[in-house]
Amino acid sequence: MTALVERTGRETGARPGTGVGGTGTWRRGWLIAATAVLSALVMVGHTRLPNGFGNPGSLLETFLPWLGVSVPVMLALAAVRRSATAGVAVLLPAVVWCSLFGGLLMDKRSTGGDLTVVSHNVNDENPDPVRTARELAATNPQLLALEELTSHTAPAYERALADTYPYHSVQGTVGLWSKYPLRDVEPVAIMPWTRALRATADTPKGPVAVYVAHLASVRVLPSVGFTTARRNEAAVKLADAVRAEPLPRVVMVGDFNGTTDDRALRPVTSQLRSAQEEAGDGFGFSWPASFPVARIDQILVKGVTPVSSRVLPPTGSDHLPVAAALRL
């Protein structure tokens, strides 16, 4: 019998112990395994990636959840290579990704709330401001914040929203419409031109400080990388305003041109909580509207409880509107 086994092995060219489940499955796929470990290390240590020339750290953190796409790809490669080593190694980035983002995939939305807020970068080249205004008003928020207004489009939004919102203020390129009285409305100096405002909304459950902000745009250019300096400076000034805010209840909305994972926005995000992360369903990506890959439009709060958070259907903008219901 032994001779037969040896002869069969010689005839097929196989070596003992190298079939499926043999030692060969552990000797193959080391490159895939190394890539899996590297992917896990990048996710775990993304904050340690220096934000030097080109701001690679902020660029990585903007799209950090998408590193999860590498897991099924590497798993498929491990299966093709029949590599047990690679298959086990891929579990490492899978576990890390789930620990970082798995909670966002749970539906944490509930019903109720005392205050509904909608924020939308309407795009200064929006072809139909009136239609956009009506679609947003139809969602029936008590507070509606718009960013990227211009001297030509702001009057169109004001006319379209006048019947629904008796109180409003436009400061530079941002505006706030409210069903509740607004007072102490003033611009917030975060940039040389006005792209932020602060107001007190007198709700039936007391005053709420409301901030609407549009931080500076960022660019990805081959010569300089991820340019964020002006946005980062605006974030620091906005954080200073929040730190000095006397009211205990704060709602900040707007286009931050960055995600809550971006370390450069930590001066703001360390003081406030994300409504999407606390009461949303999924990542809530808002940009670009045609194929959203990042949530750069935020609803952040302090002193109030998010009840639900969602992304609204597209309008004529390159951003999607974001909404949240809050308990005061």
Side-chain angles (χ1 to χ4, degrees), residues 41-56:
L41 291 174
V42 169
M43 284 190 276
V44 169
H46 65 89
T47 58
R48 296 182 179 275
L49 182 65
N51 236 356
F53 176 79
N55 298 294

Side-chain angles (χ1 to χ4, degrees), residues 8-191:
T8 303
R10 286 193 299 270
E11 290 173 353
T12 59
R15 290 181 300 162
T18 61
V20 176
T23 58
T25 62
W26 294 99
R27 293 174 180 171
R28 293 190 291 265
W30 282 99
L31 180 59
I32 302 170
T35 304
V37 172
L38 178 61
S39 177
L41 291 174
V42 169
M43 284 190 276
V44 169
H46 65 89
T47 58
R48 296 182 179 275
L49 182 65
N51 236 356
F53 176 79
N55 298 294
S58 286
L59 180 59
L60 169 66
E61 288 163 344
T62 299
F63 303 103
L64 191 60
W66 288 96
L67 286 182
V69 174
S70 66
V71 172
V73 172
M74 289 185 292
L75 196 59
L77 292 175
V80 170
R81 288 283 294 148
R82 294 184 179 182
S83 170
T85 300
V88 171
V90 172
L91 294 178
L92 184 59
V95 170
V96 172
W97 189 92
C98 288
S99 68
L100 291 174
F101 303 111
L104 293 175
L105 301 181
M106 299 173 59
D107 188 350
K108 300 177 289 296
R109 296 173 297 177
S110 59
T111 59
D114 307 303
L115 182 68
T116 302
V117 183
V118 167
S119 177
H120 190 27
N121 179 325
V122 292
N123 189 356
D124 58 3
E125 298 180 354
N126 192 317
D128 195 346
V130 173
R131 178 182 175 184
T132 295
R134 289 173 178 168
E135 290 176 349
L136 295 173
T139 63
N140 198 33
Q142 284 83 38
L143 295 177
L144 172 60
L146 303 181
E147 303 88 47
E148 211 162 285
L149 300 172
T150 70
S151 58
H152 300 292
T153 61
Y157 289 104
E158 290 175 318
R159 289 191 297 270
L161 297 169
D163 293 338
T164 308
Y165 295 93
Y167 311 98
H168 89 280
S169 177
V170 173
Q171 302 285 332
T173 64
V174 298
L176 177 63
W177 279 258
S178 175
K179 294 185 177 182
Y180 302 133
L182 298 175
R183 57 182 171 87
D184 303 328
V185 183
E186 58 184 2
V188 180
I190 63 171
M191 295 179 65

Side-chain angles (χ1 to χ4, degrees), residues 150-239:
T150 70
S151 58
H152 300 292
T153 61
Y157 289 104
E158 290 175 318
R159 289 191 297 270
L161 297 169
D163 293 338
T164 308
Y165 295 93
Y167 311 98
H168 89 280
S169 177
V170 173
Q171 302 285 332
T173 64
V174 298
L176 177 63
W177 279 258
S178 175
K179 294 185 177 182
Y180 302 133
L182 298 175
R183 57 182 171 87
D184 303 328
V185 183
E186 58 184 2
V188 180
I190 63 171
M191 295 179 65
W193 55 97
T194 302
R195 286 173 58 132
L197 67 80
R198 185 262 180 212
T200 298
D202 285 323
T203 76
K205 292 201 171 184
V208 177
V210 182
Y211 288 80
V212 183
H214 184 189
L215 302 190
S217 300
V218 298
R219 298 286 187 272
V220 181
L221 302 173
S223 57
V224 294
F226 195 46
T227 59
T228 64
R230 183 163 291 189
R231 182 205 64 177
N232 299 350
E233 293 170 2
V236 171
K237 294 177 180 178
L238 188 61

